[in-house]
Amino acid sequence: MRVVFMGPPGAGKGTQAALLAARLGIPHISTGDIFRANVAQGTELGKQAQQYMDAGEYVPDTVTNAMVRDRITHEDCRPGFLLDGYPRTVEQVAELDAMLRSAGQKLDVVVELTVDIDEVVTRLVKRAQDQGRSDDTEDVMRHRLEVYAEQTAPLIETYSERGLLVRVDGMGAIEDVTERLIAVVIVN
Ligand code: AMP
């Protein structure tokens, strides 16, 4: 099963994506997690990504696309994968289409986790305090939400037109949201 998981920053996306991928028995591929790991390890990729992440901007498509292409061709992705935080731009959608086409594969479902935006701001501020993420100061966080609205929200329409989109309410207890996700993804 090949799943794309979308939603604004702070929607609880990473947590739910990891839980859903575990339940489906497929790798959880979070581009944000991969970038953060590279920053922590001081790799060349990390150096390229950090300035963008700290500013709440997207890492350039060429860098991100190459990273995903490399990751989804690993053996563990043969039964499928869950992409969390990718694609995020029109260019990335086109690139993912090309990657899948060349592998003779297709997406099964695109999940949009929907949330109340005020609640998102509260969650992001709390996460900044809990985890000390350098990209979660209030200004950066507001900018991340703007970038999402401008560049990523329009992709939801694209996937909806392709008949791939399902929307799931991301509000409420973690377990309840996971159960809702399982229910809609399994039927797809
Ligand atoms: P996330 O943990 O998914 O919120 O991602 C954290 C940060 O990593 C983002 O704010 C971007 O700077 C970068 N990032 C993650 N995924 C992408 C992507 N698909 N395209 C560009 N930048 C990304």
Side-chain angles (χ1 to χ4, degrees):
M1 180 157 221
R2 291 178 197 87
V3 184
V4 164
F5 206 84
M6 300 182 70
K13 188 168 58 68
T15 304
Q16 291 299 339
L19 290 166
L20 180 60
R23 289 277 286 266
L24 295 172
I26 52 179
H28 167 218
I29 301 175
S30 158
T31 43
D33 284 354
I34 300 174
F35 283 134
R36 277 185 288 279
N38 277 275
V39 169
Q41 290 161 19
T43 67
E44 193 50 45
L45 178 64
K47 285 178 195 139
Q48 287 174 347
Q50 184 162 26
Q51 51 175 318
Y52 298 100
M53 296 174 78
D54 285 349
E57 300 283 347
Y58 287 166
V59 177
D61 286 334
T62 46
V63 175
T64 309
N65 286 333
M67 183 177 88
V68 172
R69 183 180 282 278
D70 177 64
R71 180 64 189 87
I72 68 174
T73 48
H74 282 199
E75 182 59 28
D76 66 333
C77 289
R78 199 191 285 257
F81 49 76
L82 185 150
L83 286 172
D84 165 15
Y86 181 93
R88 264 172 150 115
T89 65
V90 171
E91 187 53 46
Q92 291 178 15
V93 170
E95 188 65 20
L96 177 61
D97 286 344
M99 288 179 216
L100 293 170
R101 204 179 313 117
S102 65
Q105 299 171 344
K106 59 181 184 52
L107 291 177
D108 295 290
V109 62
V110 175
V111 180
E112 181 197 7
L113 199 61
T114 62
V115 284
D116 174 333
I117 212 73
D118 291 336
E119 172 73 23
V120 162
V121 173
T122 310
R123 282 191 196 181
L124 282 171
V125 169
K126 186 172 179 308
R127 187 170 72 183
Q129 289 161 354
D130 293 350
Q131 301 180 359
R133 274 177 55 156
S134 57
D135 59 352
D136 271 354
T137 65
E138 189 161 347
D139 282 353
V140 173
M141 170 185 89
R142 289 197 186 286
H143 187 56
R144 294 176 74 213
L145 286 164
E146 282 165 17
V147 172
Y148 180 83
E150 273 168 30
Q151 298 203 48
T152 305
L155 311 186
I156 289 169
E157 187 55 32
T158 303
Y159 284 125
S160 174
E161 283 165 8
R162 294 186 190 181
L164 288 174
L165 187 74
V166 295
R167 289 196 162 88
V168 175
D169 180 6
M171 305 302 290
I174 290 181
E175 315 78 70
D176 295 344
V177 176
T178 310
E179 290 313 315
R180 265 176 237 150
L181 282 164
I182 299 281
V184 298
V185 168
I186 293 290
V187 297
N188 267 270

PDB file of all heavy atoms in Angstrom, residues 105-132:
ATOM      1  N   GLN A 105       4.399   1.731 -10.383  1.00  0.00           N
ATOM      2  CA  GLN A 105       3.594   1.757  -9.149  1.00  0.00           C
ATOM      3  C   GLN A 105       2.631   2.941  -9.178  1.00  0.00           C
ATOM      4  O   GLN A 105       2.766   3.833  -9.996  1.00  0.00           O
ATOM      5  CB  GLN A 105       4.524   1.907  -7.935  1.00  0.00           C
ATOM      6  CG  GLN A 105       5.500   0.765  -7.788  1.00  0.00           C
ATOM      7  CD  GLN A 105       6.551   1.027  -6.718  1.00  0.00           C
ATOM      8  OE1 GLN A 105       6.757   2.155  -6.283  1.00  0.00           O
ATOM      9  NE2 GLN A 105       7.224  -0.029  -6.307  1.00  0.00           N
ATOM     10  N   LYS A 106       1.682   2.920  -8.229  1.00  0.00           N
ATOM     11  CA  LYS A 106       0.813   4.094  -8.088  1.00  0.00           C
ATOM     12  C   LYS A 106       0.423   4.279  -6.626  1.00  0.00           C
ATOM     13  O   LYS A 106       0.562   3.356  -5.818  1.00  0.00           O
ATOM     14  CB  LYS A 106      -0.426   3.980  -8.977  1.00  0.00           C
ATOM     15  CG  LYS A 106      -1.280   2.780  -8.690  1.00  0.00           C
ATOM     16  CD  LYS A 106      -2.464   2.749  -9.653  1.00  0.00           C
ATOM     17  CE  LYS A 106      -3.411   1.596  -9.343  1.00  0.00           C
ATOM     18  NZ  LYS A 106      -3.863   1.495  -7.960  1.00  0.00           N
ATOM     19  N   LEU A 107      -0.065   5.477  -6.331  1.00  0.00           N
ATOM     20  CA  LEU A 107      -0.540   5.749  -4.969  1.00  0.00           C
ATOM     21  C   LEU A 107      -1.897   5.099  -4.783  1.00  0.00           C
ATOM     22  O   LEU A 107      -2.708   5.050  -5.708  1.00  0.00           O
ATOM     23  CB  LEU A 107      -0.685   7.259  -4.748  1.00  0.00           C
ATOM     24  CG  LEU A 107       0.588   8.082  -4.689  1.00  0.00           C
ATOM     25  CD1 LEU A 107       0.249   9.563  -4.543  1.00  0.00           C
ATOM     26  CD2 LEU A 107       1.478   7.614  -3.531  1.00  0.00           C
ATOM     27  N   ASP A 108      -2.161   4.626  -3.563  1.00  0.00           N
ATOM     28  CA  ASP A 108      -3.478   4.080  -3.251  1.00  0.00           C
ATOM     29  C   ASP A 108      -4.380   5.134  -2.636  1.00  0.00           C
ATOM     30  O   ASP A 108      -5.576   5.172  -2.903  1.00  0.00           O
ATOM     31  CB  ASP A 108      -3.339   2.900  -2.279  1.00  0.00           C
ATOM     32  CG  ASP A 108      -2.612   1.757  -2.930  1.00  0.00           C
ATOM     33  OD1 ASP A 108      -3.202   1.147  -3.833  1.00  0.00           O
ATOM     34  OD2 ASP A 108      -1.446   1.501  -2.564  1.00  0.00           O
ATOM     35  N   VAL A 109      -3.796   5.970  -1.780  1.00  0.00           N
ATOM     36  CA  VAL A 109      -4.630   6.943  -1.069  1.00  0.00           C
ATOM     37  C   VAL A 109      -3.783   8.115  -0.567  1.00  0.00           C
ATOM     38  O   VAL A 109      -2.599   7.950  -0.246  1.00  0.00           O
ATOM     39  CB  VAL A 109      -5.411   6.243   0.095  1.00  0.00           C
ATOM     40  CG1 VAL A 109      -4.478   5.649   1.124  1.00  0.00           C
ATOM     41  CG2 VAL A 109      -6.406   7.174   0.757  1.00  0.00           C
ATOM     42  N   VAL A 110      -4.412   9.290  -0.575  1.00  0.00           N
ATOM     43  CA  VAL A 110      -3.793  10.490   0.001  1.00  0.00           C
ATOM     44  C   VAL A 110      -4.688  10.917   1.160  1.00  0.00           C
ATOM     45  O   VAL A 110      -5.881  11.160   0.973  1.00  0.00           O
ATOM     46  CB  VAL A 110      -3.688  11.632  -1.033  1.00  0.00           C
ATOM     47  CG1 VAL A 110      -3.147  12.907  -0.382  1.00  0.00           C
ATOM     48  CG2 VAL A 110      -2.802  11.196  -2.204  1.00  0.00           C
ATOM     49  N   VAL A 111      -4.113  10.975   2.339  1.00  0.00           N
ATOM     50  CA  VAL A 111      -4.878  11.326   3.532  1.00  0.00           C
ATOM     51  C   VAL A 111      -4.584  12.771   3.912  1.00  0.00           C
ATOM     52  O   VAL A 111      -3.425  13.165   4.006  1.00  0.00           O
ATOM     53  CB  VAL A 111      -4.471  10.433   4.730  1.00  0.00           C
ATOM     54  CG1 VAL A 111      -5.280  10.802   5.966  1.00  0.00           C
ATOM     55  CG2 VAL A 111      -4.625   8.974   4.391  1.00  0.00           C
ATOM     56  N   GLU A 112      -5.641  13.536   4.102  1.00  0.00           N
ATOM     57  CA  GLU A 112      -5.457  14.873   4.671  1.00  0.00           C
ATOM     58  C   GLU A 112      -5.980  14.858   6.105  1.00  0.00           C
ATOM     59  O   GLU A 112      -7.151  14.562   6.346  1.00  0.00           O
ATOM     60  CB  GLU A 112      -6.235  15.936   3.880  1.00  0.00           C
ATOM     61  CG  GLU A 112      -6.025  17.323   4.474  1.00  0.00           C
ATOM     62  CD  GLU A 112      -7.040  18.373   4.032  1.00  0.00           C
ATOM     63  OE1 GLU A 112      -8.018  18.037   3.351  1.00  0.00           O
ATOM     64  OE2 GLU A 112      -6.839  19.539   4.408  1.00  0.00           O
ATOM     65  N   LEU A 113      -5.082  15.165   7.030  1.00  0.00           N
ATOM     66  CA  LEU A 113      -5.484  15.272   8.434  1.00  0.00           C
ATOM     67  C   LEU A 113      -5.951  16.706   8.652  1.00  0.00           C
ATOM     68  O   LEU A 113      -5.166  17.646   8.490  1.00  0.00           O
ATOM     69  CB  LEU A 113      -4.265  14.951   9.308  1.00  0.00           C
ATOM     70  CG  LEU A 113      -4.523  14.559  10.751  1.00  0.00           C
ATOM     71  CD1 LEU A 113      -5.362  13.291  10.844  1.00  0.00           C
ATOM     72  CD2 LEU A 113      -3.198  14.365  11.479  1.00  0.00           C
ATOM     73  N   THR A 114      -7.210  16.884   8.974  1.00  0.00           N
ATOM     74  CA  THR A 114      -7.748  18.249   9.114  1.00  0.00           C
ATOM     75  C   THR A 114      -7.775  18.659  10.583  1.00  0.00           C
ATOM     76  O   THR A 114      -8.014  17.838  11.463  1.00  0.00           O
ATOM     77  CB  THR A 114      -9.178  18.360   8.535  1.00  0.00           C
ATOM     78  OG1 THR A 114     -10.035  17.483   9.268  1.00  0.00           O
ATOM     79  CG2 THR A 114      -9.206  17.985   7.070  1.00  0.00           C
ATOM     80  N   VAL A 115      -7.505  19.936  10.813  1.00  0.00           N
ATOM     81  CA  VAL A 115      -7.479  20.447  12.197  1.00  0.00           C
ATOM     82  C   VAL A 115      -8.003  21.872  12.262  1.00  0.00           C
ATOM     83  O   VAL A 115      -8.075  22.573  11.269  1.00  0.00           O
ATOM     84  CB  VAL A 115      -6.044  20.475  12.772  1.00  0.00           C
ATOM     85  CG1 VAL A 115      -5.572  19.113  13.146  1.00  0.00           C
ATOM     86  CG2 VAL A 115      -5.090  21.160  11.841  1.00  0.00           C
ATOM     87  N   ASP A 116      -8.304  22.271  13.456  1.00  0.00           N
ATOM     88  CA  ASP A 116      -8.681  23.644  13.771  1.00  0.00           C
ATOM     89  C   ASP A 116      -7.373  24.441  13.893  1.00  0.00           C
ATOM     90  O   ASP A 116      -6.494  24.084  14.664  1.00  0.00           O
ATOM     91  CB  ASP A 116      -9.442  23.581  15.106  1.00  0.00           C
ATOM     92  CG  ASP A 116      -9.785  24.933  15.660  1.00  0.00           C
ATOM     93  OD1 ASP A 116      -9.065  25.904  15.373  1.00  0.00           O
ATOM     94  OD2 ASP A 116     -10.775  24.996  16.406  1.00  0.00           O
ATOM     95  N   ILE A 117      -7.229  25.502  13.097  1.00  0.00           N
ATOM     96  CA  ILE A 117      -5.947  26.189  13.001  1.00  0.00           C
ATOM     97  C   ILE A 117      -5.506  26.840  14.323  1.00  0.00           C
ATOM     98  O   ILE A 117      -4.317  26.879  14.636  1.00  0.00           O
ATOM     99  CB  ILE A 117      -5.934  27.199  11.810  1.00  0.00           C
ATOM    100  CG1 ILE A 117      -4.536  27.308  11.223  1.00  0.00           C
ATOM    101  CG2 ILE A 117      -6.507  28.530  12.161  1.00  0.00           C
ATOM    102  CD1 ILE A 117      -4.098  26.117  10.423  1.00  0.00           C
ATOM    103  N   ASP A 118      -6.459  27.308  15.130  1.00  0.00           N
ATOM    104  CA  ASP A 118      -6.086  27.884  16.445  1.00  0.00           C
ATOM    105  C   ASP A 118      -5.486  26.815  17.335  1.00  0.00           C
ATOM    106  O   ASP A 118      -4.528  27.040  18.068  1.00  0.00           O
ATOM    107  CB  ASP A 118      -7.307  28.490  17.143  1.00  0.00           C
ATOM    108  CG  ASP A 118      -7.796  29.734  16.427  1.00  0.00           C
ATOM    109  OD1 ASP A 118      -6.977  30.366  15.731  1.00  0.00           O
ATOM    110  OD2 ASP A 118      -8.987  30.047  16.545  1.00  0.00           O
ATOM    111  N   GLU A 119      -6.068  25.632  17.244  1.00  0.00           N
ATOM    112  CA  GLU A 119      -5.571  24.502  18.017  1.00  0.00           C
ATOM    113  C   GLU A 119      -4.148  24.147  17.551  1.00  0.00           C
ATOM    114  O   GLU A 119      -3.286  23.798  18.354  1.00  0.00           O
ATOM    115  CB  GLU A 119      -6.534  23.323  17.812  1.00  0.00           C
ATOM    116  CG  GLU A 119      -6.092  22.000  18.396  1.00  0.00           C
ATOM    117  CD  GLU A 119      -6.191  21.945  19.913  1.00  0.00           C
ATOM    118  OE1 GLU A 119      -6.975  22.717  20.479  1.00  0.00           O
ATOM    119  OE2 GLU A 119      -5.453  21.124  20.508  1.00  0.00           O
ATOM    120  N   VAL A 120      -3.918  24.271  16.252  1.00  0.00           N
ATOM    121  CA  VAL A 120      -2.592  23.983  15.703  1.00  0.00           C
ATOM    122  C   VAL A 120      -1.542  24.918  16.303  1.00  0.00           C
ATOM    123  O   VAL A 120      -0.463  24.476  16.706  1.00  0.00           O
ATOM    124  CB  VAL A 120      -2.599  24.135  14.163  1.00  0.00           C
ATOM    125  CG1 VAL A 120      -1.194  24.289  13.627  1.00  0.00           C
ATOM    126  CG2 VAL A 120      -3.259  22.932  13.530  1.00  0.00           C
ATOM    127  N   VAL A 121      -1.870  26.200  16.380  1.00  0.00           N
ATOM    128  CA  VAL A 121      -0.916  27.164  16.924  1.00  0.00           C
ATOM    129  C   VAL A 121      -0.595  26.793  18.381  1.00  0.00           C
ATOM    130  O   VAL A 121       0.571  26.764  18.778  1.00  0.00           O
ATOM    131  CB  VAL A 121      -1.454  28.612  16.807  1.00  0.00           C
ATOM    132  CG1 VAL A 121      -0.544  29.591  17.526  1.00  0.00           C
ATOM    133  CG2 VAL A 121      -1.585  28.994  15.335  1.00  0.00           C
ATOM    134  N   THR A 122      -1.603  26.447  19.133  1.00  0.00           N
ATOM    135  CA  THR A 122      -1.378  26.048  20.527  1.00  0.00           C
ATOM    136  C   THR A 122      -0.474  24.820  20.603  1.00  0.00           C
ATOM    137  O   THR A 122       0.468  24.764  21.391  1.00  0.00           O
ATOM    138  CB  THR A 122      -2.736  25.720  21.210  1.00  0.00           C
ATOM    139  OG1 THR A 122      -3.622  26.796  20.948  1.00  0.00           O
ATOM    140  CG2 THR A 122      -2.586  25.511  22.699  1.00  0.00           C
ATOM    141  N   ARG A 123      -0.745  23.841  19.734  1.00  0.00           N
ATOM    142  CA  ARG A 123       0.072  22.613  19.737  1.00  0.00           C
ATOM    143  C   ARG A 123       1.521  22.917  19.387  1.00  0.00           C
ATOM    144  O   ARG A 123       2.440  22.351  19.961  1.00  0.00           O
ATOM    145  CB  ARG A 123      -0.446  21.618  18.694  1.00  0.00           C
ATOM    146  CG  ARG A 123      -1.671  20.847  19.110  1.00  0.00           C
ATOM    147  CD  ARG A 123      -1.901  19.726  18.098  1.00  0.00           C
ATOM    148  NE  ARG A 123      -3.230  19.180  18.197  1.00  0.00           N
ATOM    149  CZ  ARG A 123      -3.666  18.178  17.441  1.00  0.00           C
ATOM    150  NH1 ARG A 123      -2.883  17.625  16.549  1.00  0.00           N
ATOM    151  NH2 ARG A 123      -4.879  17.702  17.584  1.00  0.00           N
ATOM    152  N   LEU A 124       1.710  23.814  18.394  1.00  0.00           N
ATOM    153  CA  LEU A 124       3.080  24.106  17.956  1.00  0.00           C
ATOM    154  C   LEU A 124       3.870  24.820  19.050  1.00  0.00           C
ATOM    155  O   LEU A 124       5.047  24.533  19.257  1.00  0.00           O
ATOM    156  CB  LEU A 124       3.061  24.955  16.685  1.00  0.00           C
ATOM    157  CG  LEU A 124       2.763  24.193  15.402  1.00  0.00           C
ATOM    158  CD1 LEU A 124       2.547  25.144  14.246  1.00  0.00           C
ATOM    159  CD2 LEU A 124       3.897  23.234  15.059  1.00  0.00           C
ATOM    160  N   VAL A 125       3.221  25.727  19.744  1.00  0.00           N
ATOM    161  CA  VAL A 125       3.904  26.441  20.822  1.00  0.00           C
ATOM    162  C   VAL A 125       4.298  25.434  21.910  1.00  0.00           C
ATOM    163  O   VAL A 125       5.420  25.445  22.410  1.00  0.00           O
ATOM    164  CB  VAL A 125       2.999  27.565  21.403  1.00  0.00           C
ATOM    165  CG1 VAL A 125       3.591  28.123  22.687  1.00  0.00           C
ATOM    166  CG2 VAL A 125       2.818  28.671  20.369  1.00  0.00           C
ATOM    167  N   LYS A 126       3.385  24.518  22.224  1.00  0.00           N
ATOM    168  CA  LYS A 126       3.669  23.513  23.245  1.00  0.00           C
ATOM    169  C   LYS A 126       4.817  22.605  22.802  1.00  0.00           C
ATOM    170  O   LYS A 126       5.721  22.300  23.575  1.00  0.00           O
ATOM    171  CB  LYS A 126       2.415  22.678  23.514  1.00  0.00           C
ATOM    172  CG  LYS A 126       2.593  21.701  24.658  1.00  0.00           C
ATOM    173  CD  LYS A 126       1.288  21.022  25.028  1.00  0.00           C
ATOM    174  CE  LYS A 126       1.502  20.033  26.172  1.00  0.00           C
ATOM    175  NZ  LYS A 126       2.575  19.083  25.922  1.00  0.00           N
ATOM    176  N   ARG A 127       4.806  22.198  21.531  1.00  0.00           N
ATOM    177  CA  ARG A 127       5.860  21.314  21.039  1.00  0.00           C
ATOM    178  C   ARG A 127       7.220  22.012  21.072  1.00  0.00           C
ATOM    179  O   ARG A 127       8.238  21.393  21.392  1.00  0.00           O
ATOM    180  CB  ARG A 127       5.540  20.868  19.602  1.00  0.00           C
ATOM    181  CG  ARG A 127       6.503  19.820  19.092  1.00  0.00           C
ATOM    182  CD  ARG A 127       6.052  19.210  17.798  1.00  0.00           C
ATOM    183  NE  ARG A 127       6.194  20.130  16.693  1.00  0.00           N
ATOM    184  CZ  ARG A 127       5.808  19.869  15.440  1.00  0.00           C
ATOM    185  NH1 ARG A 127       5.211  18.726  15.165  1.00  0.00           N
ATOM    186  NH2 ARG A 127       5.983  20.743  14.483  1.00  0.00           N
ATOM    187  N   ALA A 128       7.213  23.309  20.765  1.00  0.00           N
ATOM    188  CA  ALA A 128       8.464  24.079  20.814  1.00  0.00           C
ATOM    189  C   ALA A 128       9.035  24.037  22.233  1.00  0.00           C
ATOM    190  O   ALA A 128      10.239  23.860  22.431  1.00  0.00           O
ATOM    191  CB  ALA A 128       8.207  25.517  20.386  1.00  0.00           C
ATOM    192  N   GLN A 129       8.156  24.178  23.206  1.00  0.00           N
ATOM    193  CA  GLN A 129       8.606  24.156  24.604  1.00  0.00           C
ATOM    194  C   GLN A 129       9.093  22.766  25.000  1.00  0.00           C
ATOM    195  O   GLN A 129      10.132  22.612  25.630  1.00  0.00           O
ATOM    196  CB  GLN A 129       7.450  24.580  25.534  1.00  0.00           C
ATOM    197  CG  GLN A 129       7.126  26.057  25.407  1.00  0.00           C
ATOM    198  CD  GLN A 129       5.741  26.409  25.944  1.00  0.00           C
ATOM    199  OE1 GLN A 129       4.961  25.521  26.313  1.00  0.00           O
ATOM    200  NE2 GLN A 129       5.429  27.693  25.982  1.00  0.00           N
ATOM    201  N   ASP A 130       8.354  21.739  24.583  1.00  0.00           N
ATOM    202  CA  ASP A 130       8.706  20.363  24.969  1.00  0.00           C
ATOM    203  C   ASP A 130       9.987  19.870  24.303  1.00  0.00           C
ATOM    204  O   ASP A 130      10.794  19.191  24.910  1.00  0.00           O
ATOM    205  CB  ASP A 130       7.585  19.385  24.582  1.00  0.00           C
ATOM    206  CG  ASP A 130       6.325  19.613  25.385  1.00  0.00           C
ATOM    207  OD1 ASP A 130       6.379  20.395  26.355  1.00  0.00           O
ATOM    208  OD2 ASP A 130       5.286  19.026  25.030  1.00  0.00           O
ATOM    209  N   GLN A 131      10.138  20.179  23.014  1.00  0.00           N
ATOM    210  CA  GLN A 131      11.227  19.566  22.247  1.00  0.00           C
ATOM    211  C   GLN A 131      12.359  20.524  21.923  1.00  0.00           C
ATOM    212  O   GLN A 131      13.402  20.104  21.422  1.00  0.00           O
ATOM    213  CB  GLN A 131      10.689  19.007  20.914  1.00  0.00           C
ATOM    214  CG  GLN A 131       9.602  17.961  21.096  1.00  0.00           C
ATOM    215  CD  GLN A 131       9.091  17.440  19.749  1.00  0.00           C
ATOM    216  OE1 GLN A 131       9.530  17.876  18.695  1.00  0.00           O
ATOM    217  NE2 GLN A 131       8.160  16.503  19.796  1.00  0.00           N
ATOM    218  N   GLY A 132      12.144  21.814  22.147  1.00  0.00           N
ATOM    219  CA  GLY A 132      13.175  22.791  21.830  1.00  0.00           C
ATOM    220  C   GLY A 132      13.548  22.812  20.361  1.00  0.00           C
ATOM    221  O   GLY A 132      14.691  23.040  20.002  1.00  0.00           O
TER     222      GLY A 132
END
